[in-house]
Amino acid sequence: MAELSTTASLGLTIDGVSGDYSPSAFPEEDAEFEFSSFIYYLLLFGCLFIVTLIVSICGLVGNAIVICFLCFIMKKNPITTYVLNLAVADSCVLVTLALAISDSIWDVGGISTDLGFGLFISTHATSLYLLTAISVEKCLSVVFPIWYRCHRLEHLSEIVCALIWAMSILVFGIYHFFISAEYEDSHIMIWVVHMINSVFCPLLVVICTVILFIKVCCSLHRRQRGKFYTALLFALLFFLIFGVPLSVMITVQYFIVDFNPIMLFFGGVCAIINSSVNPFIYFLIGRKKTHRSREPLKVVLERVFSDKADCREDQSPPTMINSMMMTS
């Protein structure tokens, strides 16, 4: 009885089941704990936002340099066509996400928040489709080199990129129309789009990445290939780590669980990293490690995007025999 009266005099409440003290007994400490937690998460998200902003600016500058270089300086080839469209798509990802966030916070974008994030998801899907197309074509060029050189269309890269942009715009328009109109059968098309973005394309990229890695890096009879294959492998690896999570999170949140803004926030951060890293991959792969003097950026990028390796891959047996006889 004395202990109970002492507890009552201190203003403490005891849980009848566990016997623990409830947090409501210390309102001042609870308020201090909640305030400190709020400050901690505010600083964490603030630092993350600043880092993300810096990465986005660097990514926009890097993609702009790649776009200007491929448009006005370097001669076009199948590689540069894909890379140019990928750089444009990555730049659109960064710009549309910035517009969507600014419109949702300050209402300065002039477009609705749903439309802004819809544009961001659409451009992210376009980047996904372009990387998938690049990986599939380069995988075919490595696995079936003779068939690839004989049967490849002359303007295949331009046709594929145009179809991808047209398909992305069409799917975005239909998707946004169905969502705004709230049709009952719209979930079928939404399911198809999400399955393509989160399952089919990533699985295809994984298969092509493994095949390229085996044929380019681990093959016992490998030939000297261009640096673009190495850059492509790194780009695909970063895409699987940072690009796929956003599509998977959107699919999971749409079909399985309720909306969680924190998961989508981290998915957006990963998408920003994925859309910003490719120009730095091109620069790091293209420069010579033993070259101490500073090389012009034109030379570095030409070393990556040169298509000479694809033209000399897998010589035919008669040509190889003649070359061996001449050397002997």
Side-chain angles (χ1 to χ4, degrees), residues 287-296 299 303:
R287 68 185 183 91
K288 287 185 177 180
K289 298 180 181 179
T290 58
H291 209 285
R292 295 184 178 180
S293 62
R294 292 184 178 180
E295 292 182 304
V299 177
R303 193 177 292 127

Side-chain angles (χ1 to χ4, degrees), residues 134-182:
I134 297 173
S135 61
V136 171
E137 182 167 340
K138 286 303 169 185
C139 184
L140 291 175
S141 69
V142 170
V143 179
F144 308 105
I146 299 177
W147 177 89
Y148 175 79
R149 289 201 308 268
C150 295
H151 294 84
R152 187 186 186 277
L153 298 177
E154 184 179 358
H155 300 287
L156 180 63
S157 302
E158 292 84 351
I159 295 172
V160 171
C161 292
L163 289 176
I164 288 175
W165 282 104
M167 183 181 65
S168 300
I169 295 172
L170 181 62
V171 170
F172 167 74
I174 297 175
Y175 183 91
H176 189 71
F177 174 76
F178 278 145
I179 291 295
S180 59
E182 298 182 354

Side-chain angles (χ1 to χ4, degrees), residues 53-71:
L53 182 62
I54 295 174
V55 172
S56 300
I57 295 173
C58 294
L60 279 174
V61 173
N63 284 310
I65 293 173
V66 172
I67 292 171
C68 294
F69 174 79
L70 296 180
C71 286

Side-chain angles (χ1 to χ4, degrees), residues 236-296:
L236 293 176
L237 179 62
F238 274 94
F239 167 74
L240 293 174
I241 297 174
F242 296 104
V244 175
L246 178 63
S247 299
V248 174
M249 287 178 185
I250 293 174
T251 302
V252 170
Q253 299 235 358
Y254 184 83
F255 290 105
I256 298 177
V257 297
D258 296 332
F259 178 81
N260 189 348
I262 296 179
M263 287 183 62
L264 292 181
F265 174 77
F266 284 104
V269 171
C270 291
I272 289 174
I273 296 174
N274 174 71
S275 298
S276 304
V277 74
N278 287 336
F280 300 98
I281 293 177
Y282 305 148
F283 175 76
L284 293 176
I285 298 298
R287 68 185 183 91
K288 287 185 177 180
K289 298 180 181 179
T290 58
H291 209 285
R292 295 184 178 180
S293 62
R294 292 184 178 180
E295 292 182 304

Side-chain angles (χ1 to χ4, degrees), residues 13-21:
T13 59
I14 301 178
D15 188 358
V17 179
S18 61
D20 297 332
Y21 295 111

